[in-house]
């Protein structure tokens, strides 16, 4: 694939806003920067970013358009998109898996009872690269996974040159991946998920995607380096 925890819960359900004038409402309908779960309406934007990011480097996309729609239909709660003024600039798509290591089936299946999150793809729009958005989104995604009591670890497969990038996010090498795509081989990496007890104790822990959630980005986030 291509390419610290605060005291407050990672993401909270949005509370109903008090009655305000229509003019004020309009100013707040398009946040300057937000993170939210993806849905099937985002699929084309997702695929356009992914295709540009991967085809030029490896000649292969982790997910084709029908597969993007497939996962955003089956398990949108394991996706995350970063939007700037309504425009998708970076995203992650994942699904659940129920084995210790990835197999070819993991590329297309979602196992609802699995405890392993298979991170299929992380990609950033070319205009917004080299701004730290990839690491920031990955950090937020991993913290979100801590809210989910059924997820115990995250796994991914990547080309060797990306191993240092994912190491910086806390992933560790499992070994060579059994999956090959065309002439490409991959390293399999994992990230242990912890902190479930804390998140469960917090009554405002995220319930995703039943509630329309947004996550405004802070100035601190925007100063994180690539």
């Amino acid at each position: 694939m291509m390419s610290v925890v605060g005291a407050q819960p990672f993401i909270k359900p949005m509370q109903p806003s008090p009655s305000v004038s229509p003019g004020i409402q309009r100013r707040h309908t398009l946040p300057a920067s937000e993170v939210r779960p993806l849905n099937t309406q985002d699929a084309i934007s997702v695929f356009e970013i992914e295709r540009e990011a991967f085809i030029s480097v490896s000649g292969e996309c982790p997910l084709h358009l029908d597969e993007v729609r497939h996962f955003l239909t089956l398990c949108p709660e394991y996706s995350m998109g970063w939007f700037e003024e309504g425009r998708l600039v970076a995203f992650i798509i994942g699904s659940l898996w129920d084995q210790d290591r990835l197999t070819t089936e993991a590329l297309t299946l979602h196992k609802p009872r699995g405890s392993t999150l298979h991170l299929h793809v992380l990609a950033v729009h070319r205009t917004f690269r080299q701004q730290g958005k990839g690491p920031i989104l990955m950090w937020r995604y991993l913290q979100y996974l801590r809210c989910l009591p059924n997820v115990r670890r995250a796994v991914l497969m990547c080309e060797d040159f990306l191993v240092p990038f994912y190491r910086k996010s806390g992933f560790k090498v499992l070994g060579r991946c059994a999956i090959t795509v065309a002439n490409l081989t991959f390293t399999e990496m994992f990230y242990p998920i912890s902190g479930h007890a804390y998140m469960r104790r917090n009554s405002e822990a995220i319930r995703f995607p039943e509630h329309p959630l947004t996550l405004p980005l802070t100035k601190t986030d925007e100063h994180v380096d690539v």
Side-chain angles (χ1 to χ4, degrees), residues 16-33:
S17 57
S19 298
V20 292
S21 69
I24 295 177
Q25 285 181 334
R26 282 194 295 272
R27 287 198 296 272
H28 289 278
T29 54
L30 197 62
S33 190

Side-chain angles (χ1 to χ4, degrees), residues 69-128:
R69 289 190 172 117
H70 171 72
F71 285 117
L72 294 185
T73 299
L74 283 181
C75 49
E77 65 271 30
Y78 299 112
S79 70
M80 185 172 283
W82 183 335
F83 294 79
E84 296 279 358
E85 296 183 347
R87 178 187 184 187
L88 181 66
V89 301
F91 69 88
I92 290 173
I93 292 179
S95 64
L96 290 183
W97 183 237
D98 60 357
Q99 298 180 31
D100 291 336
R101 299 294 295 267
L102 295 174
T103 69
T104 303
E105 288 184 330
L107 299 180
T108 56
L109 295 183
H110 168 58
K111 299 285 191 174
R113 296 187 179 182
S115 61
T116 294
L117 186 289
H118 176 201
L119 199 160
H120 291 274
V121 56
L122 160 66
V124 179
H125 191 285
R126 63 181 180 275
T127 306
F128 297 88

Side-chain angles (χ1 to χ4, degrees), residues 107-201:
L107 299 180
T108 56
L109 295 183
H110 168 58
K111 299 285 191 174
R113 296 187 179 182
S115 61
T116 294
L117 186 289
H118 176 201
L119 199 160
H120 291 274
V121 56
L122 160 66
V124 179
H125 191 285
R126 63 181 180 275
T127 306
F128 297 88
R129 291 176 196 152
Q130 303 302 317
Q131 299 177 21
K133 283 182 166 53
I136 293 172
L137 188 63
M138 176 64 80
W139 181 87
R140 288 179 174 270
Y141 187 73
L142 293 173
Q143 301 314 309
Y144 163 61
L145 294 182
R146 294 174 185 268
C147 303
L148 307 177
N150 59 314
V151 177
R152 296 303 176 190
R153 65 179 192 143
V155 298
L156 58 82
M157 48 184 268
C158 65
E159 294 181 73
D160 290 349
F161 74 92
L162 286 169
V163 168
F165 172 85
Y166 290 110
R167 281 189 188 275
K168 290 180 181 179
S169 293
F171 282 83
K172 299 178 181 180
V173 172
L174 272 172
R176 300 308 299 173
C177 185
I179 301 170
T180 60
V181 178
N183 62 341
L184 299 177
T185 60
F186 304 94
T187 296
E188 192 166 335
M189 305 185 74
F190 80 101
Y191 181 95
I193 304 297
S194 59
H196 297 85
Y198 168 77
M199 290 299 181
R200 284 198 298 266
R201 285 199 302 269

Side-chain angles (χ1 to χ4, degrees), residues 14-18:
M14 295 291 287
Q15 299 298 322
S17 57

